[in-house]
């Protein structure tokens, strides 16, 4: 580093200026080393630009974390499965209201389904903070729509396509948004829309969908019993059946659900929380080790 | 090198021959676990040897207790990695005239362990002159599997009817068991369990129970890649057993060429013709077989 107390004061923050020659014979250019000893003496103690590394000698500047740039590796506050199905009057999605923190049931009032605009609803599984960021992005889309003020707003399929691109591009940067999303709504041509996007950008549309554990427990039931022209009570009964199967077998789920639906000609609604009936009075549960001590 | 003071030497007994290490092979009556090969296996793993995984069944098996008995169900696909090894295997194994056991996991393990317990129970029936009980099979399976600490990869649904009524148990590879009114195991167990959680009722009739178990196996077949082909059922009541092999075949081969296959002469290109007559060739076409022992009929049995 330069000694700032020498006679020739250099303005603060400036490196040693390169000595430019205006000699007509060699033309403009930097004076090479060895030509001007006084100038070279200034370089004797000069250190080159310092590479900015972390406190440990490697890694990013101003970081204590070692190694290369790392992003989200594990989720922290998570939501479990979301189920969705189309029916005659519209489309409905359902999930529980639990936000788990690892193996703790931490947030029991979490709304995992949100209304996006007058025709679209969205539900998430996975990390809560990443979903809040996604809602911020969707909010920006809505603001743009509002500012355009042309009476049109984004259709569910457009929101779904936008989210597919967001999730895939984040995955390509090795910094995924740790969510599986279910997007549901009504299209202008009078059809329902139901699609899912995952954290690596995989996406799929169908008449009935699930994200997370529901793929194993609820999809078999939907495949057996779902038809596109179910009435609303039938669809709700099938949805509650699937929710019961999921909550009986998913350890990170609780018996407190909401159903969000978009119906033709009505605004999207998210229902009040409810529980499904469970039965525990099977004979074989009463005394399982009656004939075989050590069994439970 | 260790200092002399802490070097431990085993005093050789007068009768035993001078051997290097005292292992289980020298004393087969010693009880407990045999860890002789642990050091060898770790050393082999260190040199990069990968132990081959046993063939897994990739299965949906399930069982239900209904009013008066038990219904067991299974699919019939046996997989070896990503290939279907056997399209129509039998996963419901006989244990006793009134006890059957579905097996998921490693095929060899389920076959061997259920066969072993079936043989034990037959000897036991001869000794006690009584019908076997389901809990006998359960306890023998559990103690065997626990002894091998999960290395015997057999996940079983054991069901039967005995003097104490109908029973249904699940047994896990590490040796634990559950007594349940309805049970599923295998890779398709979640799909089958979804059907049971949705529609199981206490005290169903035999027809209802058979239909529910068949539905659960079909859910596994059509929603799980490791399960497929047909549905086997086994209904066990106090009066007897109905073994319904291929009770449902929802995966029939659909395409059959209606015209059949006929290949006109010239379909296969002839490259060379070579005729031999019996007399010109030195083939032993007429050979007399002399039976040295046994009767001529024995020669017909393969």
């Amino acid at each position: 580093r330069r000694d700032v107390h020498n006679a020739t004061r250099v303005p603060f923050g400036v490196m040693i200026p390169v000595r430019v020659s205006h000699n007509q014979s060699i033309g403009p250019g930097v004076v090479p080393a060895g030509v001007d000893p006084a100038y070279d003496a200034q370089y004797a103690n000069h250190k080159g630009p310092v590479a900015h590394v972390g406190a440990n000698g490697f890694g990013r500047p101003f970081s204590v974390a070692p190694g290369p740039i790392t992003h989200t590796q594990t989720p922290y506050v998570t939501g479990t499965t979301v189920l969705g199905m189309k029916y005659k009057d519209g489309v409905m999605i359902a999930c529980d209201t639990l936000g788990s923190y690892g193996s703790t049931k931490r947030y029991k009032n979490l709304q995992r389904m949100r209304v996006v605009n007058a025709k679209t609803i969205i539900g998430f599984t996975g990390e809560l903070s990443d979903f809040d960021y996604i809602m911020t992005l969707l909010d920006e889309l809505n603001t743009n729509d509002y500012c355009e003020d042309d009476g049109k707003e984004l259709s569910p399929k457009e929101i779904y396509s936008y989210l597919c691109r967001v999730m895939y591009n984040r995955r390509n940067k090795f910094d995924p948004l740790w969510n599986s999303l279910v997007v549901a709504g009504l299209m202008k041509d009078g059809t329902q829309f139901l699609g899912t996007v995952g954290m690596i950008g995989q996406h799929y549309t169908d008449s009935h969908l699930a994200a997370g554990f529901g793929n194993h427990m609820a999809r078999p039931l939907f495949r057996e019993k779902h038809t596109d022209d179910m009435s609303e009570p039938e669809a709700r009964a099938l949805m509650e059946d699937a929710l019961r199967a999921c909550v009986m077998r998913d350890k990170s789920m609780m018996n407190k659900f909401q159903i969000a639906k978009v119906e033709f000609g009505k605004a999207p609604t998210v229902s009040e929380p409810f529980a499904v009936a469970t039965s525990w009075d099977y004979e074989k549960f009463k005394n399982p080790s009656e004939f075989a001590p050590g069994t439970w | 090198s260790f200092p002399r003071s802490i070097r431990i030497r085993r005093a050789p007994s007068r009768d035993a021959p001078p051997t290097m290490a005292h292992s289980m092979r020298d004393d087969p009556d010693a009880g407990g676990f045999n860890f002789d090969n642990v050091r060898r296996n770790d050393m082999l793993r260190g040199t990069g040897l990968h132990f081959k995984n046993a063939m897994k069944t990739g299965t949906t098996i399930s069982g239900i207790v209904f009013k008066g008995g038990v219904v067991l169900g299974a699919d019939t696909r046996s997989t070896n990695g990503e290939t279907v090894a056997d399209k129509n295997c039998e996963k419901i194994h006989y244990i006793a005239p009134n006890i059957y056991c579905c097996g998921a996991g490693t095929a060899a393990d389920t076959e061997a362990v259920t066969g072993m317990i079936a043989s034990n129970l037959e000897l036991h029936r001869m000794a006690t002159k009584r019908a076997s009980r389901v809990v006998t099979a359960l306890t023998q399976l559990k103690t065997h599997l626990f002894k091998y600490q999960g290395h015997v990869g057999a996940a079983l649904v054991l069901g039967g009817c005995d003097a104490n009524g109908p029973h249904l148990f699940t047994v896990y590879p590490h040796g634990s068991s559950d007594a349940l009114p309805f049970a599923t195991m295998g890779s398709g167990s979640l799909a089958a369990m979804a059907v049971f959680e949705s529609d199981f009722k206490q005290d169903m009739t035999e027809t209802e129970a058979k239909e529910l178990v068949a539905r659960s196996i079909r859910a596994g077949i059509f929603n799980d890649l490791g399960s497929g082909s047909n549905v086997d059922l086994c209904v066990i009541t106090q009066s007897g057993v109905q073994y319904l092999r291929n009770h449902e075949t929802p995966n029939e081969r659909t395409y059959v060429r209606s015209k059949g296959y006929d290949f006109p002469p010239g379909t296969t290109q002839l490259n060379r013709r070579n005729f031999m007559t019996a007399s010109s060739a030195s083939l032993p076409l007429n050979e007399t077989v002399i039976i040295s022992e046994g009767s001529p009929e024995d020669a017909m049995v393969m």
Side-chain angles (χ1 to χ4, degrees):
Chain A
R1 294 203 164 74
R2 292 194 63 243
D3 179 9
V4 295
H5 295 300
N6 63 7
T8 56
R9 283 190 173 275
V10 178
F12 172 75
V14 169
M15 293 202 307
I16 297 173
V18 291
R19 180 75 170 256
V20 178
S21 98
H22 299 286
N23 191 318
Q24 278 202 325
S25 56
I26 62 174
V30 177
V31 173
V35 169
D36 188 345
Y39 182 76
D40 286 342
Q42 292 178 4
Y43 269 102
N45 289 327
H46 177 67
K47 294 193 172 98
V50 176
H52 292 148
V53 293
N56 48 24
F58 54 92
R60 281 180 292 160
F62 313 109
S63 75
V64 293
I69 293 175
T70 58
H71 294 293
T72 307
Q73 302 286 350
T74 56
Y76 286 95
V77 179
T78 54
T80 185
T81 188
V82 176
L83 315 178
M85 71 161 87
K86 296 182 186 175
Y87 60 106
K88 189 164 53 121
D89 304 325
V91 59
M92 65 164 67
I93 61 179
C95 68
D96 70 337
T97 63
L98 176 65
S100 313
Y101 186 74
S103 61
T104 312
K105 290 180 178 163
R106 188 154 181 192
Y107 303 108
K108 295 194 174 182
N109 268 318
L110 186 62
Q111 187 137 353
R112 289 203 291 118
M113 296 180 298
R114 315 270 170 94
V115 174
V116 180
N117 60 26
K119 291 181 305 214
T120 319
I121 48 181
I122 185 172
F124 81 99
T125 77
E127 170 62 46
L128 170 61
S129 57
D130 284 342
F131 180 67
D132 277 340
Y133 172 68
I134 286 169
M135 288 309 294
T136 311
L137 294 176
L138 296 178
D139 211 25
E140 286 173 16
L141 292 182
N142 280 339
T143 310
N144 282 343
D145 264 343
Y146 179 81
C147 293
E148 297 270 348
D149 200 19
D150 56 359
K152 297 193 186 107
E153 59 178 4
L154 287 173
S155 71
K157 190 161 203 292
E158 288 166 341
I159 292 173
Y160 164 80
S161 304
Y162 170 75
L163 289 171
C164 292
R165 294 295 97 220
V166 166
M167 301 297 272
Y168 184 63
N169 278 287
R170 289 291 297 257
R171 169 260 189 193
N172 284 341
K173 291 189 262 187
F174 282 91
D175 183 15
L177 290 166
W178 208 281
N179 292 119
S180 282
L181 308 164
V182 174
V183 181
L186 302 173
M187 302 294 291
K188 241 167 86 165
D189 60 1
T191 58
Q192 304 97 324
F193 178 85
L194 182 63
T196 180
V197 192
M199 69 184 251
I200 56 174
Q202 80 274 33
H203 53 273
Y204 181 63
T205 59
D206 204 346
S207 304
H208 50 78
L209 282 175
F213 190 76
N215 272 308
H216 295 106
M217 291 301 283
R219 288 305 292 288
L221 292 173
F222 289 163
R223 281 184 179 148
E224 225 186 341
K225 295 180 184 168
H226 178 268
T227 54
D228 273 333
D229 55 357
M230 297 172 91
S231 65
E232 201 267 346
E234 288 174 345
R236 198 190 158 99
L238 177 58
M239 190 66 96
E240 290 189 10
D241 222 13
L243 287 171
R244 179 184 312 110
C246 287
V247 76
M248 286 285 128
R249 297 286 158 174
D250 184 356
K251 71 170 181 164
S252 48
M253 207 158 165
M254 60 188 267
N255 194 353
K256 181 180 172 190
F257 304 106
Q258 288 178 305
I259 289 185
K261 52 185 195 211
V262 193
E263 289 188 333
F264 292 108
K266 295 187 194 159
T269 55
V270 180
S271 75
E272 284 299 302
F274 64 93
V276 295
T278 58
S279 75
W280 293 91
D281 56 354
Y282 301 128
E283 272 305 311
K284 285 287 176 183
F285 283 168
K286 284 181 184 146
N287 194 358
S289 60
E290 182 180 357
F291 302 109
T295 299
W296 63 83
Chain B
S1 64
F2 286 172
R4 268 195 173 275
S5 55
I6 65 167
R7 197 176 293 158
I8 297 168
R9 281 175 145 269
R10 193 187 301 279
S13 79
R14 206 168 287 218
D15 302 322
T19 53
M20 278 181 287
H22 179 76
S23 80
M24 289 293 284
R25 276 183 219 93
D26 301 335
D27 187 1
D29 291 330
F33 298 120
N34 182 349
F35 293 105
D36 286 344
N37 284 334
V38 169
R39 253 182 86 198
R40 180 204 76 172
N41 291 345
D42 283 341
M43 188 273 293
L44 285 173
R45 261 186 220 105
T47 63
L49 178 70
H50 294 293
F51 294 106
K52 193 168 190 286
N53 280 334
M55 182 170 93
K56 293 173 64 71
T57 57
T59 297
T60 310
I61 52 176
S62 61
I64 265 188
V65 175
F66 68 95
K67 193 175 181 59
V70 173
V71 180
L72 301 174
D75 75 307
T76 61
R77 174 181 284 184
S78 164
T79 53
N80 192 350
E82 302 305 313
T83 321
V84 175
D86 188 348
K87 287 189 286 193
N88 206 357
C89 67
E90 283 190 7
K91 298 186 187 180
I92 305 184
H93 308 287
Y94 166 87
I95 303 263
N98 57 332
I99 307 172
Y100 277 74
C101 183
C102 310
T106 310
D109 288 337
T110 59
E111 294 270 359
V113 85
T114 50
M116 186 179 83
I117 269 69
S119 302
N120 283 352
L121 287 190
E122 184 161 356
L123 292 171
H124 192 249
R125 280 197 296 282
M126 290 177 193
T128 58
K129 301 192 178 51
R130 282 171 176 75
S132 302
R133 298 198 178 186
V134 185
V135 291
T136 316
L138 174 74
T139 312
Q140 290 195 5
L141 287 165
K142 278 170 65 162
T143 46
H144 181 81
L145 292 175
F146 180 72
K147 189 170 79 171
Y148 286 92
Q149 290 289 295
H151 292 290
V152 175
L156 310 167
V157 171
L158 172 70
C161 269
D162 58 21
N164 287 321
H167 297 285
L168 181 69
F169 299 106
T170 57
V171 187
Y172 287 82
H174 283 265
S176 68
S177 69
D178 298 320
L180 292 167
F182 53 91
T184 66
M185 296 286 261
S187 58
S189 63
L190 272 76
M193 185 53 81
V195 172
F196 282 166
E197 289 286 0
S198 169
D199 288 323
F200 176 80
K201 296 190 308 286
Q202 193 69 39
D203 289 334
M204 282 188 284
T205 64
E206 182 178 319
T207 323
E208 287 174 335
K210 276 165 66 174
E211 179 51 34
L212 187 62
V213 171
R215 265 181 62 204
S216 76
I217 302 298
R218 260 183 286 136
I221 286 172
F222 291 115
N223 289 292
D224 174 47
L225 293 175
S227 313
S229 299
N230 312 125
V231 179
D232 286 353
L233 288 188
C234 184
V235 186
I236 309 171
T237 54
Q238 293 292 357
S239 46
V241 172
Q242 262 185 305
Y243 190 95
L244 302 166
R245 170 78 172 142
N246 286 1
H247 174 69
E248 284 182 15
T249 51
N251 287 305
E252 299 273 23
R253 183 181 182 172
T254 47
Y255 174 72
V256 178
R257 191 166 183 270
S258 55
K259 289 187 284 189
Y261 296 91
D262 58 338
F263 301 103
T267 304
T268 311
Q269 186 188 3
L270 272 178
N271 290 328
R272 187 167 58 89
R273 284 175 188 242
N274 192 2
F275 286 112
M276 291 192 297
T277 58
S279 52
S280 65
S282 56
L283 298 164
L285 289 175
N286 294 316
E287 200 175 60
T288 314
V289 175
I290 300 163
I291 299 167
S292 55
E293 63 178 292
S295 63
E297 285 74 38
D298 291 343
M300 303 298 285
V301 175
M302 300 292 271

